Amino acid sequence: GAERVSSDPLLVEALRAAAAGEPDPLAALPPSETAPLRRVGALLATAAAAARDGASVEEVLWQVWQQTGLADRWSAASGRGGPAGAAADRDLDAVLALFDAAARYSDRLPGADVAGFTDYLADQQLPTDSLAPRAPGGDAVALLTAHAARGREWRVVAVPGVQEGSWPDLRLRGSLLGSERLVDLLAGVAEPDGSVSRVAPLLAEERRLFYVACSRASHTLLVSAVQGEDEQPSRFLDELDPLPAGAAETRTVHRPGRSLVLAELVGELRRAVCTPGDEPAAVARRERAAAQLARLAADGVPGAHPDEWYGLAPVSTDAPLRVPGEVVPVSPSDVERIVACPLRWVLERHGGGDVGALAAVTGSLVHALVQASAAGAQPAELEDALRSAWSHLDAGAPWFGRRELERVRAMLAAFDDWVRTSRDQGLRLVAVEQPVRLDLPVEGDLAPDGSAQPEVGRSGGPWLQLRGRVDRLEVDSEGRPVVVDVKTGKTAVSARAAAEHPQLAVYQLAAALGAFGRLLEKGVTPGGARLVYLADRKASGQAKEPSQPPLDAAELARWRGVVATCAEETSGSAFVARVSADCERCPVRTSCPAREAGRPVTAP
């Protein structure tokens, strides 16, 4: 007869056919029965088409969500309340959680495809284990209490942790009112006026349990304890194995060369295999270790197979990060990171940094409110926008959230004070959140005024594109451009660090090279740059404002070379790891060969 197949694989095949646009496998069934499956197949076809067109994960989800038409239906059901409304609330929450997961995934891995996102979601599902007892399927170790081992027997039994204080455990147990003593009196076990030790019965019971555990072994018994400053072996050890007459008062303590755990055994075998030496004893030791590792690898022990060893896999690719001839994008903030450490830049740029931290979200919120304030928003409007945005943030504990909210308000107040003070100093606002975009040759000299030489054409060699965004572009009383970068960090940099600040210097270079288009004249002399730290304030309450003096032509030429060097260092296939004072706080130090924690993951 024909083989019987469940409906699950048939449904999967039907959905795959619908998503791939193959002939309809459900043509023989009534439309009323196949309508739900056809709708799901149409959604899968939409997702597949969007993925083939190169749409991002969020764009694919949005197209599928719009095609479902569930938004209005679930919203109406949620407004009606009742069990149907509660179910609609849960469904809407699930959709929002899915979009949030897609946003976090896209932020961590820019350019990742839909297949990677589905694998990421599948990895979030943790399999659960049943609490019901079940028989082992093969060779296994039974982990039991002394009570559960009663009546059973094994060839080898280990009784670990025989410590004084835990075995015997002489803490008095019983009810608050002593009902167990009343039971003993009624049973005739105890006399009404008798003074019987309450510890002796506990000690006798603990001793019986210990003997029950030890007598479960038919061939080998292993009893272990730990001796240290805060804990001592149990008195039961001397009862089990008394010291011979005339022996030392203390028992010999064994100090094992390694812990009795599988991971340390694998590590010891791997060290033995990798230890060089041509002596017969060393060769024989390596062969024995390799044979044991092969046995462990065949049983699936993690770390036993050489394919899982760090540093042995070849480099996946040696292709450069940028195709030769491609325009290399460089931002002023990138220059600051690349000058510090190119390796950290490339790892953080491709998903190795901490994304979504509250400090980063708070910084983005403050910049948005500052921009709205410069656009003419009233204080009441800013407060409403702040409360609305803060209600959607997960700030942790309520007390911490309230403290952070007050800190944001204090930063906004400090910004208002800085605006009033800077107007008195002669600054005039030109633009807010002004884009910076400028194409520069990687090789070539600058004119005396700091601009690119006019004879260097676009076809004269490789080019880089300097692009970014300036928080505030101002001009001073002399008409010179002054770049202002608003910071939300808690500690301002020193005046010396601000004078050599790469990001500010590149902004001044961009202003001199005409990156601000019609807002400023090309070749204009920069008027310096400033960092405004809203969270770090002086004793007077004003925001600290470390500044960088105006750069002359020689300094502009030097920083032009720094930008070109950064473009070259971020375009190849190798990236330099530079040691600095920030290495201890680096989020990618576990992948850095300059750090002890990162050396195992690098190729030898």
Side-chain angles (χ1 to χ4, degrees), residues 66-222:
Q66 284 187 317
Q67 186 174 343
T68 60
L70 294 174
D72 296 336
R73 188 197 312 175
W74 285 354
S75 178
S78 175
R80 289 192 297 268
D89 289 338
R90 291 192 297 268
D91 293 337
L92 289 172
D93 291 340
V95 172
L96 290 177
L98 179 60
F99 274 95
D100 289 340
R104 291 193 300 269
Y105 181 80
S106 299
D107 291 339
R108 293 191 180 106
L109 299 174
D113 56 5
V114 179
F117 179 63
T118 56
D119 293 338
Y120 166 76
L121 290 181
D123 292 339
Q124 309 306 309
Q125 300 177 3
L126 301 178
T128 59
D129 193 9
S130 174
L131 298 178
R134 58 182 183 271
D139 295 337
V141 176
L143 186 62
L144 303 171
T145 63
H147 292 88
R150 184 175 300 174
R152 304 176 63 182
E153 187 179 74
W154 294 266
R155 181 177 175 80
V156 180
V157 171
V159 185
V162 185
Q163 305 293 138
E164 190 70 28
S166 60
W167 210 341
D169 185 0
L170 301 180
R171 293 173 297 177
L172 297 178
R173 275 98 64 184
S175 61
L176 179 62
L177 301 177
S179 58
E180 67 282 353
R181 298 181 61 188
L182 179 59
V183 173
D184 291 342
L185 289 174
L186 295 178
V189 177
E191 296 293 335
D193 297 331
S195 57
V196 181
S197 172
R198 300 179 61 186
V199 175
L202 291 176
L203 179 60
E205 176 64 21
E206 290 286 299
R207 182 178 286 108
R208 284 193 295 270
L209 285 175
F210 179 68
Y211 288 157
V212 166
C214 294
S215 60
R216 299 306 93 196
S218 63
H219 183 272
T220 303
L221 173 65
L222 301 174

Side-chain angles (χ1 to χ4, degrees), residues 444-455:
D445 299 328
L446 294 179
D449 62 353
S451 61
Q453 291 283 14
E455 63 269 13

Side-chain angles (χ1 to χ4, degrees), residues 4 61 69-70 74 87 135 144 155 192 207 225 330 352 439 451 454 503 541 543 547 560 574 586 591 597:
R4 299 180 61 87
L61 283 178
L70 294 174
W74 285 354
L144 303 171
R155 181 177 175 80
R207 182 178 286 108
V330 178
D439 291 339
S451 61
Q503 185 177 7
S547 60
R560 172 66 177 80
C586 179
S591 299

Side-chain angles (χ1 to χ4, degrees), residues 257-258 263-273 275 285 289 293:
R258 57 174 169 80
E264 289 208 20
L265 173 61
V266 173
E268 182 177 344
L269 293 174
R270 286 169 55 172
R271 284 192 298 270
V273 169
T275 301
R285 188 169 184 266
L293 279 175

Side-chain angles (χ1 to χ4, degrees), residues 16 27 29 45 74 83 96 115 177 179 305 340 420 449 509 526 547 580-581 592 596:
R16 286 178 177 173
L29 297 177
W74 285 354
L96 290 177
L177 301 177
S179 58
H305 200 284
R420 288 191 292 269
D449 62 353
L509 175 65
S547 60
S580 66
C592 176
E596 185 67 29

